Amino acid sequence: MVFITLSGFVTALLCLVGWVNSLPSSVADTERGELLGLGDSVGSAADDYHWVASWTSMPQLVESSNMPPSPFSSGGVFKDATLRQTLHLSLSAERIRIQISNTFGGSDLPITAATIALPTSGKAGVSSIDNTTLKPLTFKNGTSEGITIPRGQVAYTDPIEFPIPGQTNIAISLYFKTGQTGSSITGHPGSRTTSWMASGNKVSEANLVGTGSGSTTKDTKHWYFLSAVEAWSPLNTTSAFIILGDSITDGRGSTDDGNNRWPDLLLARMHQAGINNVGVNNQAAGGNAVLSGGLGPTLLSRYKRDALQQQGVKYVMIFEGVNDIGSSSTDSGTQNSIANRLIEAYKQIAKDCKAAGIKVIGGTITPFGGNGQGYSNPTREQTRQKVNEWILGNSGQGKTFDAVVDFGKIIGDPAAKGQLAKQYDGGDHLHPNVRGYQAMADGFPLEFFK
């Protein structure tokens, strides 16, 4: 466990409300508890069980180019519309709850109704569900089938009995009668998973495609609003692993609806090895940077929210930095500064994790050299090597990391230093293909979890 005392546990949950700002003083304590779902998670928590993150999606402000397709972003985002999304959970569970984020919303997020079900044939990205598994989701200890989440905050559904094995896809359907006003909403553009939307309240419909005359159905490769699914799990045997990363962890180059990002493939390998009590959680985003710029909040500004404040966390991995190097000037002074600042950032994040009783693993930055790759440059390559040498030399007792994995070596070309091996190159000389992601998963040290 990250937080040992009950007061610490409550504090961690309250920290989830908003990314930087605390709860507004106008919200009463009881209302805060209802909004977050604290009534169940704390009031009836058994000593030998706790909530553990089984799936996460790094929340960020949705760029204009990634907003829902027309007509679902006009006159109110998802106004009188149903949104169905599939999520790949990592842990077996009898009981789960879903976290919904309005962290970056410019207005309140009103949810009218919600359901959970298994998708048809258990597949990711499909528009249809197995209606025999359909259950309504409720809020505020069963008193409401909907909820309005204030801007900058998150909310939980009530816990629901929904038995599932590990590596199961679930389908969450949300209906928004009035929609969210404005154009600032929370989501995760790099889902690599198809989400479906239809006009009207269709949360209980078996299929969102062909839902009746006058109905409009669209699909998109983005997630919106959903930020975590947690499993009610044994305290002493089940924990969460959080991976902090960028597009390489987010899965660019993986197969849409294939769940073959390297963390997904690692999860499958872990289960094959009998390690099925660790939730694998992807907290990465394409274009994300550690220090400044990039897409979404920087790692330095989000690691507490995305790692330390997640539920049941025991392990954290830091595998990020390529966008800081690649998007910065190629002069030696700038690159030397980037290297030093990255190292200091890794130290800070790891120190805070260890202070919370969390084991930390570091990952070396993978190659990005090659014709046509904008990051490719000899000085930037020197920075990558400098940072990687530091990572590799700072693992073990009393060091920054408890363990490291040399991803740079695993998928790098031994005959062409600074480049991805041809069989692992996704085509842009920066992102691996699925074969490369499999190599990364295969090279991860499973003893880290023992």
Side-chain angles (χ1 to χ4, degrees):
M1 278 287 290
V2 178
F3 302 96
I4 298 174
T5 65
L6 182 59
S7 62
F9 186 68
V10 176
T11 300
L13 287 174
L14 291 176
C15 286
L16 286 168
V17 183
W19 169 43
V20 175
N21 298 320
S22 61
L23 278 163
S25 58
S26 60
V27 181
D29 289 342
T30 55
E31 292 174 329
R32 296 178 186 180
E34 289 177 352
L35 180 67
L36 286 169
L38 290 176
D40 181 276
S41 62
V42 175
S44 62
D47 291 339
D48 54 351
Y49 271 72
H50 66 157
W51 290 109
V52 180
S54 180
W55 173 90
T56 57
S57 172
M58 192 202 101
Q60 59 192 105
L61 177 65
V62 176
E63 302 92 346
S64 59
S65 59
N66 293 320
M67 292 289 284
S70 178
F72 297 100
S73 58
S74 57
V77 180
F78 293 118
K79 182 178 181 180
D80 187 29
T82 297
L83 171 65
R84 179 168 291 168
Q85 305 174 95
T86 56
L87 319 173
H88 188 59
L89 307 191
S90 53
L91 291 169
S92 299
E94 296 292 323
R95 190 184 202 202
I96 62 175
R97 66 179 184 177
I98 294 91
Q99 185 189 89
I100 307 171
S101 175
N102 192 26
T103 300
F104 296 96
S107 60
D108 292 351
L109 174 62
I111 297 171
T112 311
T115 61
I116 183 173
L118 295 179
T120 302
S121 301
K123 294 181 179 180
V126 296
S127 65
S128 57
I129 57 174
D130 177 356
N131 257 24
T132 64
T133 67
L134 181 71
K135 289 187 176 183
L137 292 169
T138 59
F139 301 88
K140 299 183 178 181
N141 293 322
T143 63
S144 177
E145 63 181 16
I147 192 170
T148 296
I149 308 173
R151 56 183 297 185
Q153 299 189 23
V154 302
Y156 281 102
T157 65
D158 293 326
I160 184 170
E161 304 300 322
F162 198 79
I164 48 173
Q167 302 187 84
T168 294
N169 291 309
I170 63 170
I172 304 295
S173 301
L174 305 174
Y175 172 61
F176 314 85
K177 184 176 181 179
T178 60
Q180 185 168 23
T181 60
S183 57
S184 294
I185 68 171
T186 303
H188 189 85
S191 67
R192 324 291 168 198
T193 306
T194 306
S195 297
W196 295 85
M197 56 208 74
S199 55
N201 185 351
K202 305 296 193 310
V203 296
S204 298
E205 292 287 335
N207 198 332
L208 290 193
V209 175
T211 51
S213 61
S215 178
T216 300
T217 304
K218 292 286 182 70
D219 66 278
T220 187
K221 297 294 192 298
H222 309 306
W223 282 316
Y224 302 102
F225 311 122
L226 302 180
S227 51
V229 179
E230 298 168 3
W232 188 238
S233 304
L235 175 62
N236 295 324
T237 58
T238 311
S239 58
F241 172 42
I242 302 291
I243 305 168
L244 300 170
D246 48 40
S247 58
I248 295 174
T249 297
D250 205 26
R252 181 170 175 177
S254 63
T255 307
D256 287 345
D257 302 323
N259 288 324
N260 52 17
R261 313 162 191 86
W262 77 261
D264 301 317
L265 299 172
L266 172 62
L267 173 66
R269 180 174 168 237
M270 289 166 61
H271 279 228
Q272 290 170 0
I275 306 173
N276 54 16
N277 61 341
V278 178
V280 177
N281 296 272
N282 193 329
Q283 291 282 51
N288 198 237
V290 176
L291 305 171
S292 62
L295 297 179
T298 63
L299 183 58
L300 275 178
S301 67
R302 70 180 178 90
Y303 74 90
K304 292 181 181 179
R305 179 199 71 182
D306 291 346
L308 274 69
Q309 293 166 7
Q310 296 301 312
Q311 296 303 299
V313 180
K314 187 176 180 180
Y315 312 98
V316 165
M317 180 173 194
I318 306 170
F319 174 44
E320 188 166 348
V322 68
N323 292 318
D324 296 87
I325 297 171
S327 61
S328 298
S329 173
T330 58
D331 68 276
S332 59
T334 297
Q335 286 297 312
N336 187 59
S337 175
I338 290 293
N340 293 335
R341 291 169 60 204
L342 281 174
I343 290 169
E344 290 304 311
Y346 300 152
K347 288 179 180 178
Q348 176 183 329
I349 297 169
K351 180 181 178 181
D352 287 347
C353 287
K354 289 187 174 184
I358 300 170
K359 293 180 66 176
V360 186
I361 189 168
T364 59
I365 299 171
T366 51
F368 47 78
N371 293 332
Q373 174 48 245
Y375 287 1
S376 182
N377 178 272
T379 308
R380 289 175 178 150
E381 172 59 18
Q382 290 174 8
T383 303
R384 185 184 76 90
Q385 291 183 31
K386 177 180 178 179
V387 172
N388 283 352
E389 287 172 5
W390 179 86
I391 292 172
L392 293 170
N394 280 272
S395 172
Q397 187 68 30
K399 299 290 185 68
T400 299
F401 304 108
D402 295 287
V404 298
V405 54
D406 195 354
F407 282 151
K409 181 178 181 181
I410 290 171
I411 60 174
D413 188 342
K417 196 170 184 178
Q419 297 184 25
L420 293 173
K422 290 182 175 60
Q423 68 270 28
Y424 299 144
D425 193 335
D428 64 359
H429 311 309
L430 172 63
H431 298 94
N433 53 25
V434 174
R435 188 176 176 185
Y437 286 139
Q438 185 67 66
M440 293 170 68
D442 291 343
F444 190 96
L446 294 185
E447 57 269 22
F448 180 60
F449 302 114
K450 297 179 179 177

